Amino acid sequence: MQVFYNKKGIGDCLIIMFKQGNRYQITQEKFGNIVKITDKQSNEVLGYNIFEASNYFLLDTNNIDVTPVLVEEIEEVFHRNGLKDTLEVDLSPKFVVGYVIDKQPHENADKLSVCQVDIGDETVQIVCGAPNVDKGQHVVVAKVGAIMPSGMEIKDASLRGVPSHGMICSQKELGLPNAPQEKGIYVLGEDVKAGQPFPV
């Protein structure tokens, strides 16, 4: 689950997103100031929009940390608006520091590398197309389930026949200010450790 708020850009609406869906295949149900968004085919909840959000929350940032306290506050707002849903939320960070343990060339693509990346609690395989990725780097990893600032959801994938579980990110992909325009992942300094949350 990721939570966004941008009053200047979209108005006084708190956006709660679990995953992306096809806008033509969704159902929207209104409960007071809340719109519940569901996939028509799977009946899976994709997210919620809470309108007049500043009446319910103290909001001063675009991307909001999801904490147990925030989950309780959201559920309370649900109940005040006649919605009886509860939130089952994975509170583990979706953007973390990774350490590239190994890098090998992709067998089917000259410009891709197959990396083994320590993300703290596990080592994952990530196929990366950045020219500057290398063994021994600390990098930023968007784990499976992360929602990028662009709105893209990170999923398990197969790139040219090789499984990939996450994405090694550039500064531009992370939406960082003054990000360089040239292609390349964001290489961090040595004062970080694998698995450490990275604020996005």
Side-chain angles (χ1 to χ4, degrees):
M1 177 175 115
Q2 289 185 270
V3 180
F4 305 96
Y5 182 75
N6 183 347
K7 190 170 185 178
K8 286 184 180 177
I10 58 173
D12 192 13
C13 177
L14 189 74
I15 298 172
I16 301 166
M17 183 183 293
F18 293 109
K19 57 172 51 183
Q20 285 185 309
N22 183 330
R23 70 175 70 180
Y24 303 109
Q25 296 180 351
I26 61 172
T27 299
Q28 299 187 47
E29 299 174 84
K30 198 167 189 315
F31 300 83
N33 284 324
I34 298 171
V35 172
K36 177 179 178 179
I37 304 163
T38 308
D39 185 280
K40 278 183 183 176
Q41 293 180 330
S42 66
N43 210 32
E44 187 176 15
V45 176
L46 302 175
Y48 303 87
N49 292 337
I50 301 178
F51 294 93
E52 298 183 26
S54 59
N55 290 339
Y56 303 109
F57 308 98
L58 291 173
L59 301 165
D60 59 1
T61 183
N62 288 355
N63 293 337
I64 297 167
D65 290 334
V66 179
T67 64
V69 171
L70 179 63
V71 171
E72 286 183 14
E73 289 177 347
I74 291 170
E75 288 182 343
E76 173 61 25
V77 173
F78 282 2
H79 299 156
R80 286 167 63 183
N81 282 272
L83 176 60
K84 297 187 179 180
D85 290 12
T86 56
L87 299 174
E88 294 182 12
V89 181
D90 176 7
L91 292 172
S92 64
K94 294 301 181 190
F95 294 88
V96 298
V97 174
Y99 180 74
V100 183
I101 299 171
D102 188 43
K103 170 198 163 185
Q104 297 294 329
H106 192 295
E107 58 189 19
N108 299 318
D110 292 341
K111 294 185 178 180
L112 297 178
S113 302
V114 181
C115 302
Q116 306 302 321
V117 186
D118 176 5
I119 56 171
D121 55 350
E122 62 179 326
T123 297
V124 295
Q125 178 170 285
I126 299 176
V127 178
C128 180
N132 65 326
V133 68
D134 210 350
K135 179 179 176 180
Q137 293 172 333
H138 285 98
V139 296
V140 181
V141 173
K143 296 166 66 175
V144 171
I147 307 289
M148 301 300 293
S150 66
M152 179 180 71
E153 181 185 354
I154 302 302
K155 300 179 180 180
D156 286 320
S158 177
L159 300 177
R160 295 284 187 93
V162 175
S164 183
H165 310 287
M167 185 171 82
I168 301 174
C169 303
S170 69
Q171 293 186 51
K172 187 176 180 182
E173 289 164 334
L174 293 166
L176 299 181
N178 304 314
Q181 295 303 305
E182 61 269 16
K183 289 186 177 180
I185 54 149
Y186 185 18
V187 180
L188 303 172
E190 297 299 316
D191 56 340
V192 293
K193 63 179 182 178
Q196 178 181 327
F198 186 87
V200 173

